Each structure stands twice: as structure tokens, then as C-alpha cells.
Amino acid sequence: MHVSASERGLVRLFAVDLPSEEVEAFRESVFDGDGELIDWPLANALGAFDLDEDYIELFNVRDLEGLGLPGYMVQGLGISERDVQEDGNRLSAQRGWVLVVLSSAFGRTEQTLSPRRPLRWLGTYKEEGARVRYDPLPSAGAKGAPLDVPPKPVTSNPYKTVLLAILALPAAALVLGLLFLWGSAK
């Protein structure tokens, strides 16, 4: 499975063929004393060398009470209902643990995945973009042609005002200094 650096909006779905008591060890990454990643069974099984755990989900399908895997994919992941219906029977029959990997999990790093046991690929789906609706505006003031509004008068440039103030300060200080010297000379 190729992941391009510009990939967006894809959702990869895998069955995780492990007993529940082994899933936690599969999920956990192991670090050394310096915080360097030593081992991550999940990333190893996926064949990914750059994987952000914030964009993956690992859960038991039975936790989707009433919603089911197809419903979660549509409502929770934003996948087109039509796309999910094509695989609906197979997805509804899925039991046990599943892994959801979003495109963002690869951190815009091009890589080739080589999934192996205990992962079993179920499908790759595209997130559905938000549909744009153009409803009429509710206000009567929003109807008709725009009014002829006179152009806004040109105001002074605040940068010029600051520049003039900066130049005027030394001149004012010079005039005050001369007045002080003239007054003390008398």
C-alpha cells in the first residue's frame, strides 16, 4: 500500500486478529531511557516507519453498541454511506478488534505499507467532503440590488502621523533648549 506525502482524506481499515488479552501489548510503544522508540508492534505490523498515534484508533467492534462498524464509518469517520454500503455485509459481520488509520497518521511522509499478521486489510475509504448548501438569506434586507453608498472619505495615513511626530520631537526639544539658554543668558 503506497502512502503519498500529499495524501489526504483516506481511511484504512484493518481487522486485528488477536485475542483481547494481547491487544494492549500490541498497541503499546516501547521507549528506552532517552525517550527513543525501541519497539511498537502495531507500527511494525502495519509496516509503517512514521506513524502518529493521535490519528489511529484501535477498538473492539462490540463497543459500537447499536451503531455497528458501518454506522461508525459513516457517522464517526465521515465516509460516504454509498461507499460503506458496498462493503456493508462484510463490515457488519466483522467481529473483534479493528484498527482505523487516517491519512494524517503518516505525517505527510511518503511510505509503502506492508501489513502483516495480526493485521488483515478490510478496505480503504475516502472521507466525504462537507456538502455545501446555498440557502436563501432570511432577511428581506438581503434581497435586491445593493444601495448606492458614497465612497468612504480618505483618512490620514497613521504612519505619516507617527513619522511627523518623531521628526517634530527633536525640533521641539531644540526650540525649548534655545529658549532656556536665551532665558538664562539674560
Side-chain angles (χ1 to χ4, degrees):
M1 281 180 202
H2 181 73
V3 177
S4 73
S6 61
E7 179 179 292
R8 295 233 180 277
L10 292 183
V11 177
R12 289 178 176 81
L13 183 66
F14 299 89
V16 181
D17 297 325
L18 284 174
S20 291
E21 57 272 5
E22 293 179 26
V23 169
E24 197 58 38
F26 177 71
R27 174 193 326 237
E28 291 300 315
S29 37
V30 179
F31 296 92
D32 67 11
D34 296 328
E36 293 292 320
L37 181 66
I38 297 174
D39 189 32
W40 188 8
L42 187 150
N44 295 340
L46 193 56
F49 62 85
D50 187 6
L51 190 64
D52 185 341
E53 64 184 311
D54 290 340
Y55 299 99
I56 62 173
E57 298 178 50
L58 179 62
F59 57 89
N60 197 316
V61 174
R62 74 168 177 251
D63 295 338
L64 301 173
E65 300 171 8
L67 188 60
L69 187 55
Y72 175 72
M73 291 174 68
V74 171
Q75 294 178 23
L77 298 173
I79 297 169
S80 163
E81 191 169 346
R82 183 186 72 245
D83 292 345
V84 172
Q85 283 178 347
E86 290 176 12
D87 296 336
N89 291 336
R90 186 171 51 85
L91 295 172
S92 294
Q94 180 61 41
R95 300 289 176 256
W97 292 85
V98 293
L99 173 68
V100 174
V101 183
L102 306 177
S103 290
S104 298
F106 303 110
R108 294 184 175 184
T109 303
E110 184 169 350
Q111 51 191 303
T112 300
L113 305 178
S114 53
R116 59 184 177 271
R117 286 190 39 77
L119 298 180
R120 185 172 30 92
W121 181 69
L122 296 175
T124 301
Y125 302 89
K126 178 136 181 62
E127 294 174 355
E128 186 175 45
R131 292 197 175 121
V132 178
R133 291 180 36 198
Y134 296 100
D135 292 335
L137 295 172
S139 169
K143 294 182 179 166
L147 299 174
D148 287 331
V149 179
K152 193 174 181 181
V154 177
T155 58
S156 65
N157 185 339
Y159 299 109
K160 285 183 182 177
T161 306
V162 170
L163 181 62
L164 287 174
I166 290 172
L167 293 175
L169 283 174
L174 181 63
V175 169
L176 286 174
L178 288 175
L179 286 174
F180 179 73
L181 286 174
W182 182 68
S184 61
K186 285 186 168 188

